[in-house]
Amino acid sequence: MKKLLNLIVGSMLLLTACGNYEGTVTEKTDSSFMLEVTSGNSEAESSVQEMHLTDHTIFCGAISTFEELEVGDQVVVVPAKLSEDFPYILVSEAIVE
């Protein structure tokens, strides 16, 4: 069962890698979390982005609920598809490694 879950999560990571945010959780609130987003360029500084949850946010990988998310977790965030002028990042899916 774990092998199948790992295969599914790995496939999702490969298929949805473009446009996603990947980083480390630095802070958690009631309805959002701060993600220190790492860049592929080692010389570039990382930035911290607030990730807002919705009723439809899905958590998968090492956890299945927001309550299980902890500071220090490595997360890949798949953002909801919204217009570019929308001021917030809404999380469609959070994959915790």
Side-chain angles (χ1 to χ4, degrees), residues 12 33 53 57-64 66 69 74-79 91-97:
M12 288 172 32
F33 61 92
L53 306 177
T57 299
I58 298 169
F59 287 89
C60 61
I63 66 170
S64 58
F66 178 62
L69 185 69
Q74 295 293 315
V75 181
V76 175
V77 171
V78 179
V91 180
S92 174
E93 185 173 5
I95 305 163
V96 179
E97 300 173 344

Side-chain angles (χ1 to χ4, degrees), residues 29 31-34 49-54 57 77 80 86-92:
T29 68
S31 61
S32 68
F33 61 92
M34 303 301 283
Q49 301 284 330
E50 185 170 12
M51 304 290 161
H52 297 271
L53 306 177
T54 70
T57 299
V77 171
F86 194 77
Y88 304 107
I89 300 171
L90 296 181
V91 180
S92 174

Side-chain angles (χ1 to χ4, degrees), residues 5-89:
L5 180 61
N6 287 336
L7 179 63
I8 291 171
V9 170
S11 298
M12 288 172 32
L13 287 173
L14 290 174
L15 295 173
T16 60
C18 297
N20 295 344
Y21 297 90
E22 185 172 349
T24 305
V25 176
T26 59
E27 185 180 337
K28 193 174 150 182
T29 68
D30 290 340
S31 61
S32 68
F33 61 92
M34 303 301 283
L35 187 71
E36 183 175 7
V37 179
T38 53
S39 172
N41 184 349
S42 61
E43 296 176 8
E45 292 183 22
S46 60
S47 65
V48 177
Q49 301 284 330
E50 185 170 12
M51 304 290 161
H52 297 271
L53 306 177
T54 70
D55 291 341
H56 304 288
T57 299
I58 298 169
F59 287 89
C60 61
I63 66 170
S64 58
T65 65
F66 178 62
E67 289 75 24
E68 295 175 274
L69 185 69
E70 295 181 3
V71 171
D73 283 346
Q74 295 293 315
V75 181
V76 175
V77 171
V78 179
K81 294 181 181 173
L82 302 167
S83 67
E84 291 183 18
D85 59 339
F86 194 77
Y88 304 107
I89 300 171

